[in-house]
Amino acid sequence: MNIPFLDLKAQYRTIRNEINPAIQEVLDNTAYVLGKSVAEFEKSFAEMHNAKHCIGLSSGTAGNHVALWALGIGPGDEVIMPANTFIATAWGATLCGATPVFVDCEPESYNIDPEKTELAITDKTKAIVAVHLYGQPADMDRLREIAERHDIPLVEDAAQAHAAEYKKQKAGSLSTVSSFSFYPGKNLGAFGEAGAVLTNDDDLAEKCRKIRDHGAEQKYYHVMQGHNYRMEGIQGAVLGVKLKYLEKWTRERKRAAATYKTFLKDVDDIVLPREMEYADHVFHLFVIRVKEKTPGKPNGERDALRNYLTEKGIATGLHYPVPLHLQKVFEPLGYKEGDLPNAETLARECLSLPIYPELTDDKIEYVCSTIRDYFYK
Ligand SMILES: *Cc1c(COP(=O)(O)O)cnc(C)c1O
C-alpha cells in the first residue's frame, strides 16, 4: 500500500464543483490582487475568531513579519520564541532587524515553556511569540499572565492551528496579534501562497493594512515604510469556499489522530502526542517520538524506522530535524548543543506520520501495523 504524507488531490476532488466557479469569478472580474473575494474571506475569518480585524496577506511568513513590524519592533529589540518551530517564526523578528531569543519547550506539550519564557525576559524584550505547534495551542493563560506582568505584547504564530482551541477559545484570538499561514499543506490551505493576521486593536490593524500595501494611505501616497504583502484574489476565493469545510476537515483529522492512538497505544518504543487538558488539538501534524535507547545519544532508531516505513510505501516527515538555535544561520547568536535540551531531544526523536482529513482508518491501521512489525517482528 502507498500512503502519501499528504493528499491534496483527494480534497480538491470533493470541492472542485464549488471551487472552480469561485476562481472563474475572480478571472471574470480580473480582481487578481485583494478585491472582493479577499475582503469577504477576511470578514468570515475574523468572525470565526471573534476578532475585529483580519488582514489578508501573501504568506504566513509575511504575517509573522507584519505582526512584529506593526508592533514597532526593530533593531536592538529581542523577541522571545520557541526553538522548536519552523524557521518562519524567527524571520518575523529578523526581518524587523530584531534578535530572536530561543526558549526551550515543555517536554509533553512541545510548546514554549512559560517559566523559561519569563527567565529569558530582559529590558530589551519587545514581544513574546507563542507557536501552537503541530496544531495544539500553547499554554496561553500562563504566557499572557507573564506578558502582562512585564508589559510585553504576546503574539501567536497560529500557522499550524486553524480552528484549534485553548479553553474553548480559538487559537489566533488569544493575543495582541496573531498570524496564520494558508500554505497549501496547512489545515486551511490556499492554491498557492497566502496568510493573514488577526487583531482587535484598531491602530495595529491600520498599520498592518498599510504595511501590506507599500505603506500607502491611498494609492501613491506613502505614509510609512511598507512592503508588498497583499493576498491574491484567487486565494481569497479558494479560502472563502474552503473555510466552510474547515470544521468538518478538523473533525476528520481528530478522528485520524484518535485511530493512530488506539492502534499505537501499547508500543513502548514510541511516545504518542499528548493532548493537554486546556487544548483542543487539531493535528496539523501527527508527531510521534521514537525513544532513544541511550537518552542524549542519537542511535538512529528514528531514522531506521523512517527508512523501514519508506520501504513499505509510507511517507513520513521530520518536524523539525534541527531546532532554530542550532541552525547555521543563527550561529552568530552563540547557542550551542545542550542549551535547550527538550527541543534537541524532540529534533532527534520526532517522526511525523501521514495525516489529512481524507486518510482512511484502514490506511492508518496499515501504518500502525507496519510500525509494530518494525519493533516486534
Ligand atoms: C507554515 C508556517 C509558517 C510560514 O507560513 P508560509 O505561509 O509558508 O510563509 C510560519 N510559522 C509556522 C509555525 C509554520 O508552520
Side-chain angles (χ1 to χ4, degrees):
M1 201 177 329
N2 249 342
I3 305 183
F5 188 64
L6 187 68
D7 186 355
L8 295 177
K9 284 183 191 157
Q11 186 174 82
Y12 175 57
R13 280 196 292 272
T14 66
I15 51 170
R16 64 176 286 152
N17 290 340
E18 238 182 303
I19 288 266
N20 289 11
I23 293 173
Q24 189 62 53
E25 191 183 322
V26 175
L27 301 182
D28 290 336
N29 297 330
T30 64
Y32 297 130
V33 176
L34 296 178
K36 179 163 150 269
S37 64
V38 172
E40 284 176 358
F41 170 70
E42 287 173 338
K43 187 160 174 284
S44 314
F45 201 65
E47 272 168 15
M48 166 186 162
H49 291 88
N50 265 321
K52 225 166 145 192
H53 306 279
C54 171
I55 296 103
L57 302 170
S58 52
S59 73
T61 306
N64 290 142
H65 185 198
V66 167
L68 297 181
W69 188 342
L71 284 170
I73 282 154
D77 296 340
E78 292 176 356
V79 178
I80 293 174
M81 62 185 70
N84 55 311
T85 176
F86 181 54
I87 190 78
T89 309
W91 296 156
T94 57
L95 286 168
C96 289
T99 305
V101 173
F102 299 116
V103 165
D104 210 358
C105 62
E106 297 175 314
E108 290 185 326
S109 72
Y110 307 144
N111 277 318
I112 191 166
D113 185 323
E115 258 170 58
K116 291 176 185 152
T117 298
E118 182 153 30
L119 291 174
I121 292 174
T122 71
D123 51 8
K124 291 183 185 160
T125 307
K126 291 293 151 58
I128 297 167
V129 181
V131 180
H132 307 310
L133 198 71
Y134 308 150
Q136 169 152 261
D139 193 349
M140 294 304 285
D141 277 354
R142 284 172 70 206
L143 290 167
R144 198 183 305 108
E145 189 273 317
I146 291 162
E148 278 170 7
R149 196 149 36 75
H150 292 268
D151 200 21
I152 297 165
L154 181 60
V155 174
E156 287 162 271
D157 180 337
Q160 305 189 356
H162 315 75
E165 289 181 1
Y166 176 84
K167 299 183 181 174
K168 306 284 171 211
Q169 284 188 304
K170 288 267 180 310
S173 69
L174 305 158
S175 62
T176 305
V177 50
S178 65
S179 85
F180 283 87
S181 165
F182 306 117
Y183 182 75
K186 298 288 158 87
N187 287 24
L188 179 62
F191 286 4
E193 308 277 357
V197 291
L198 294 178
T199 183
N200 287 323
D201 183 315
D202 297 340
D203 230 44
L204 215 49
E206 198 47 44
K207 284 197 184 116
C208 292
R209 243 175 232 116
K210 284 184 185 132
I211 289 168
R212 81 166 167 189
D213 200 6
H214 300 293
E217 201 154 53
Q218 60 183 95
K219 205 166 191 179
Y220 306 131
Y221 291 82
H222 309 279
V223 296
M224 67 183 289
Q225 176 75 40
H227 206 302
N228 174 1
Y229 276 156
R230 298 168 302 215
M231 186 187 278
E232 293 181 343
I234 287 178
Q235 309 313 337
V238 168
L239 291 168
V241 171
K242 288 180 83 174
L243 186 58
K244 295 184 285 182
Y245 296 92
L246 180 59
E247 215 177 292
K248 178 176 166 237
W249 290 334
T250 302
R251 269 200 309 276
E252 291 301 320
R253 281 179 182 275
K254 288 185 197 168
R255 182 262 318 151
T259 306
Y260 268 125
K261 283 189 161 189
T262 305
F263 286 115
L264 292 174
K265 68 170 182 290
D266 50 355
V267 181
D268 291 334
D269 301 86
I270 63 175
V271 180
L272 292 171
R274 158 113 188 252
E275 291 169 65
M276 307 306 283
E277 55 290 343
Y278 49 71
D280 188 21
H281 192 322
V282 294
F283 290 99
H284 170 57
L285 296 166
F286 190 89
V287 179
I288 61 169
R289 274 169 44 209
V290 184
K291 288 187 206 162
E292 293 173 313
K293 296 232 169 72
T294 320
K297 282 234 160 61
N299 56 12
E301 196 70 43
R302 184 267 315 270
D303 296 334
L305 172 61
R306 187 173 195 215
N307 291 338
Y308 184 78
L309 293 173
T310 306
E311 273 168 34
K312 304 286 175 187
I314 298 163
T316 57
L318 302 181
H319 300 90
Y320 296 89
V322 182
L324 298 193
H325 68 293
L326 300 179
Q327 292 284 353
K328 179 135 186 75
V329 61
F330 293 129
E331 239 172 48
L333 297 179
Y335 292 92
K336 57 186 190 315
E337 220 170 309
D339 283 348
L340 305 174
N342 294 338
E344 291 166 27
T345 301
L346 184 64
R348 286 192 301 267
E349 298 189 344
C350 68
L351 182 66
S352 307
L353 303 180
I355 192 163
Y356 47 90
E358 299 78 12
L359 183 65
T360 53
D361 280 349
D362 62 311
K363 291 205 168 93
I364 296 170
E365 254 186 272
Y366 172 69
V367 176
C368 296
S369 66
T370 311
I371 291 172
R372 286 168 169 288
D373 286 349
Y374 172 80
F375 284 112
Y376 301 129
K377 214 165 65 177

